[in-house]
Amino acid sequence: MALDKQSKIYVAGHHGLVGSAIWKNLEGRGYRNLVGRTHSELDLTDQLAVRKFFDEERPDAVVLAAAFVGGIMANSLYRADFIMQNMKIQCNVLSESYAHGVKKLLFLGSTCIYPKNAPQPMREDALLTSPLEYTNEEYAIAKIAGLKMCESYNLQYGTNYIAVMPTNLYGPNDNFHLENSHVMPAMMRKIYLAKLIHDGNWQAISRDMSKRPVEGVNGDRTQDEILDVLAKYGISDNKVVLWGTGKPLREFLWSEDMADASVHVLLNVDFKDIIGIEKYSSVFYGAATDGAVDRDNSCGRGGAIPSLGEIRNCHINVGTGKELTIRELASLVAKAVGFGGTIVFDSSKPDGTPRKLIDVSKLHSLGWTHKVEIDEGVKLLFDWYKESIAK
């Protein structure tokens, strides 16, 4: 189902890590009819507001990159928010997309959907085979629901909603707020601040704290106040304390690579390509033309067609297929920052999932592979972070 350069594409979460990169990628490909709303302009958990937005804008395609996200600490503290906020966002955007005849929808999830002890590397069919990692169970359940919504709409109504599950992402516009950031930006900021404290560079520390206050403490506070709040996050003079043992293995994908993969799927991959059923178009779309959804065509209800068998795990893993330990990541970050101090791992704190490597063979078969390797990406992220402070 082709989207031409005049197609109106709504990118939900267009100021976020992935959403902003997707917007930039689409513009680079000549797609200019893009629509975005900040959270203050449109609360995606508000059903009536979302309906009004779709009534007014009538997008041809939707990229759902907006989500309520955070690291282990945030997932542990805000369990109700992680499941409820994400479920509301997904339900509102998907239901209104269907009600307004959106031609193509791309839903972004996360590889935390897979069981804690899933066989490695994790294939798409590992979904729902055993228990999830407890520390991010609510977020994972919400994302599983989202991909199942896409799958179910496709099977019942013949829509073209694709779900992609990215591995750990990092890149421009990443979240460096210590209270709720993911592992790499949190680690990078901690190591950088520990170096600045050791160097006595309080001007740089003040700029950093003013840009991203920690628990309300900004660069205008006294040195003691700043040191006290940073110490709560394991940051001190030439020393950083990180959560866990450092042994868990993680895979990381540069956000602009993720954006390129997302746009590739949005523009070039249809649901029939994923499930490998060539007759899907005629069975599901019936007499509808150009892949349009025919809501009156009862043949579009896939659950009523036994010949198709069980269709599940239609999502696509997006990653590099490569991994490293958290300890190895810390070494790469320290090297990029120029940090010569001590990094301590607090084994009394949780590690999270022991290993999260995904199988990306489905993605490769659909014509896309990553470009940025982790050592280059860490340097690029630190360069971006320093520039963000200077602005």
Side-chain angles (χ1 to χ4, degrees), residues 12-13 44 64-70 82 85-86 89-90 108-109 139 143:
L44 292 176
L64 181 45
F68 186 84
V69 299
F82 270 91
Q85 300 291 343
N86 284 300
I89 291 169
Q90 294 161 193
L108 276 67
Y139 183 72
K143 288 302 179 180

Side-chain angles (χ1 to χ4, degrees), residues 16-298:
L17 173 63
V18 184
S20 61
I22 288 174
W23 185 288
K24 179 181 174 182
N25 190 287
L26 283 165
E27 283 190 329
R29 294 176 187 241
Y31 289 82
R32 304 293 179 183
N33 194 7
L34 306 179
V35 180
R37 293 288 188 276
T38 63
H39 177 71
S40 61
E41 293 170 332
L42 174 61
D43 180 359
L44 292 176
T45 66
D46 184 336
Q47 184 179 22
L48 293 179
V50 174
R51 182 171 300 164
K52 183 174 183 290
F53 167 79
F54 273 84
D55 284 343
E56 293 172 352
E57 292 294 343
R58 300 278 172 175
D60 299 302
V62 170
V63 176
L64 181 45
F68 186 84
V69 299
I72 291 177
M73 182 184 293
N75 273 272
S76 299
L77 292 173
Y78 310 116
R79 300 184 76 90
D81 287 343
F82 270 91
I83 192 165
M84 290 301 294
Q85 300 291 343
N86 284 300
M87 288 293 289
K88 286 179 181 179
I89 291 169
Q90 294 161 193
C91 287
N92 291 339
V93 174
L94 267 78
S95 62
E96 293 307 321
S97 292
Y98 173 70
H100 291 82
V102 166
K103 296 177 184 177
K104 191 77 176 282
L105 181 142
L106 187 73
F107 170 76
L108 276 67
S110 166
T111 52
C112 72
I113 61 169
Y114 293 115
K116 178 176 182 177
N117 297 313
Q120 305 287 321
M122 298 179 290
R123 291 163 45 92
E124 284 85 356
D125 58 12
L127 183 67
L128 298 176
T129 56
S130 61
L132 298 164
E133 160 61 37
Y134 179 74
T135 56
N136 62 10
E137 192 173 44
E138 283 71 18
Y139 183 72
I141 288 172
K143 288 302 179 180
I144 291 170
L147 74 87
K148 284 296 182 182
M149 287 178 202
C150 293
E151 191 176 281
S152 301
Y153 266 94
N154 292 342
L155 294 175
Q156 182 170 347
Y157 296 116
T159 49
N160 202 7
Y161 300 167
I162 312 296
V164 290
M165 299 295 125
T167 187
N168 298 289
L169 301 172
Y170 67 105
N173 296 309
D174 215 333
N175 174 18
F176 283 83
H177 290 278
L178 295 180
E179 292 99 321
N180 58 5
S181 57
H182 281 122
V183 59
M184 191 187 299
M187 179 188 293
M188 184 171 286
R189 188 180 181 195
K190 287 178 179 182
I191 290 173
Y192 180 54
L193 284 169
K195 179 180 184 300
L196 292 179
I197 292 170
H198 182 68
D199 294 343
N201 191 345
W202 282 96
Q203 184 178 8
I205 293 171
S206 178
R207 286 200 305 269
D208 182 282
M209 297 292 288
S210 293
K211 183 76 174 183
R212 298 174 179 88
V214 180
E215 296 185 4
V217 176
N218 61 25
D220 294 332
R221 299 292 189 92
T222 66
Q223 291 185 13
D224 286 342
E225 286 176 313
I226 291 174
L227 288 173
D228 285 345
V229 75
L230 292 183
K232 293 172 62 175
Y233 292 86
I235 304 164
S236 57
D237 183 348
N238 225 26
K239 180 181 177 181
V240 172
V241 178
L242 302 177
W243 277 32
T245 64
K247 295 178 181 178
L249 289 156
R250 289 292 181 271
E251 174 183 10
F252 293 92
L253 180 67
W254 182 242
S255 62
E256 291 178 338
D257 269 355
M258 174 57 195
D260 194 61
S262 298
V263 175
H264 173 81
V265 170
L266 180 69
L267 301 180
N268 301 298
V269 178
D270 292 327
F271 186 58
K272 64 180 175 60
D273 302 320
I274 298 170
I275 62 177
I277 298 177
E278 291 302 322
K279 62 183 178 181
Y280 173 84
S281 294
S282 60
V283 171
F284 283 81
Y285 294 143
T289 60
D290 193 29
V293 177
D294 183 358
R295 293 176 181 78
D296 298 324
N297 179 13
S298 61

